[in-house]
Amino acid sequence: MNYTTQMDAARKGIITKEMEIVAQKESIEVELLRELIAKGQVAIPANKNHKSIEPEGVGQGLRTKINVNLGISKDCCDVDQELEKVTKAIEMNVESIMDLSCYGKTEEFRKKLIDKSTAMIGTVPIYDAVGFYDKDLKNLSVQELLKVIEKHAEDGVDFITIHSGINRETAAVFKRNKRKLNIVSRGGSLIYAWMELNGKENPFYEYFDEILDICAKHDVTISLGDACRPGCIADSSDASQIKELMVLGELTLRAWEKNVQVMIEGPGHMSIDEIEANVLLEKKLCHGAPFYVLGPIVTDVAPGYDHITNAIGGAVAAAAGVDFLCYVTPAEHLRLPNLDDMIEGIVATKIAAHAGDIGKKIKGAREWDNKMSDARRELDWEKMFELALEPEKPRRYRKESTPEEEKTCTMCGKMCAVRNMNKVIDGEDIMC
């Protein structure tokens, strides 16, 4: 039986090879996975043209996935440097990489990225359009914008961020409800500017069906972008954000009618006490579609440490039901991240994702921690390093400070509680 997308296959009762791979990774029944995909509660972003991909599922009951942002800009346009970051990100087993390139040889970088990446690849076509056509934003035509989307789909991009929710109604709500930081989404600001400069409706809203046809042809998942995400905690959960979310819920149903898989993008900066309510609201308004968040960053006063503020919000969000976390690095709000920044961002976001998985009782999540606890009780340092989410740093710390007592560390020595309890339980003298 033929099918166009993973959702189409699921609704026809077909188990695809991608479903089989994801079910095995997640240790769930493949028939349950198929049902969740048919309902839109799980997506498997896997473009038919992305041959190197190792598919992942995003959504209800699955492990929280993480995304890494990469790409070339006018100020930092070294393709080889970005590809080095790609290699490291894949080595660190990230599930997704977004190419946010907006200058220069974007097509060259995108194709190299897709060819080598086992992770799913996402893009924001509006970023590429401005540089690709070398035109002022105002002069980009609807057909030119759609052509860029089609090119990304043909190249093998697995999901595209499209800011379709900021239509003229949403823009009117934004204008009536003043913010501290206006619109901080790069793609959202470009679309808003295009609308204002041309006096027209958002082309990604007006021609949404044409975009869906492109996505269905290549099985591209559409990630409905949050143009009105809050850029500071003062703007979170405001009228603009909620109005756009309502529009995204309507667009989700339209996408599902054409068997196009959907993810919903979310905030942003947000007070920690608002996160759980926002997750519930997204799941209600967007019919259980997978939720993909940047952060939430829970305080605005920690530049240089936003991988930490992001991880705090990400853990709370994941525990509340968020399915996909976008990483943030220490360089957030400051500059393009380098390789070391990227590594710190990945580790922090992986910690958040795993903490969230424990909170929402994902199968197998707690067992990892239990194994680490066993290794610590046994003072099996090598096993601890093997189980560590990122082993290089703990190995280095251990090597840099050698204890007198081999099985202890230099903080406690023979006063180590674990060592002494083991000895007492075995009937030994603790000071031996």
Side-chain angles (χ1 to χ4, degrees), residues 263-277:
M263 299 187 293
I264 306 296
E265 296 187 14
H269 293 233
M270 180 168 289
S271 173
I272 197 168
D273 60 311
E274 297 178 31
I275 294 172
E276 187 173 357

Side-chain angles (χ1 to χ4, degrees), residues 372-387:
M372 178 63 86
S373 297
D374 290 338
R376 283 180 171 152
R377 184 189 66 248
E378 295 162 8
L379 293 170
D380 186 340
W381 294 94
E382 187 56 38
K383 189 67 174 178
M384 290 183 227
F385 299 146
E386 290 174 4
L387 288 166

Side-chain angles (χ1 to χ4, degrees), residues 102-270:
C102 57
Y103 177 79
K105 298 179 180 179
T106 56
E107 183 176 356
E108 175 189 336
F109 177 70
R110 183 171 62 251
K111 287 185 173 180
K112 286 182 177 179
L113 172 60
I114 292 167
D115 284 345
K116 77 180 298 181
S117 179
T118 53
M120 62 179 117
I121 300 300
T123 60
V124 189
I126 186 66
Y127 296 176
D128 191 24
V130 176
F132 181 77
Y133 290 110
D134 194 22
K135 284 185 173 183
D136 289 340
L137 177 67
K138 177 183 179 181
N139 297 324
L140 288 174
S141 70
V142 171
Q143 289 307 312
E144 286 172 331
L145 292 171
L146 294 179
K147 186 66 179 175
V148 170
I149 293 172
E150 188 171 31
K151 183 70 174 73
H152 284 214
E154 290 171 349
D155 287 347
V157 170
D158 302 297
F159 67 96
I160 53 171
T161 293
I162 300 293
H163 298 87
S164 299
I166 185 163
N167 58 12
R168 295 188 75 137
E169 287 184 9
T170 307
V173 170
F174 165 73
K175 291 175 183 177
R176 292 197 302 269
N177 295 270
K178 300 301 180 184
R179 286 179 148 189
K180 278 190 177 295
L181 270 178
N182 295 316
I183 292 174
V184 300
S185 160
R186 180 168 29 162
S189 67
L190 292 171
I191 288 296
Y192 181 82
W194 189 96
M195 293 165 63
E196 291 292 295
L197 292 168
N198 289 288
K200 295 181 179 179
E201 179 60 275
N202 176 355
F204 293 156
Y205 178 79
E206 186 174 2
Y207 295 89
F208 191 64
D209 285 335
E210 285 82 350
I211 294 171
L212 294 178
D213 289 339
I214 294 170
C215 291
K217 180 179 179 181
H218 301 280
D219 198 0
V220 176
T221 298
I222 192 163
S223 190
L224 290 171
D226 51 340
C228 294
R229 70 170 179 264
C232 62
I233 62 172
D235 293 338
S236 65
S237 307
D238 71 349
S240 300
Q241 178 195 331
I242 304 308
K243 170 59 179 176
E244 182 179 36
L245 190 61
M246 293 169 65
V247 177
L248 298 186
E250 296 170 358
L251 294 175
T252 296
L253 295 179
R254 286 174 59 185
W256 286 348
E257 286 176 3
K258 293 200 173 190
N259 292 314
V260 173
Q261 300 181 107
V262 173
M263 299 187 293
I264 306 296
E265 296 187 14
H269 293 233
M270 180 168 289

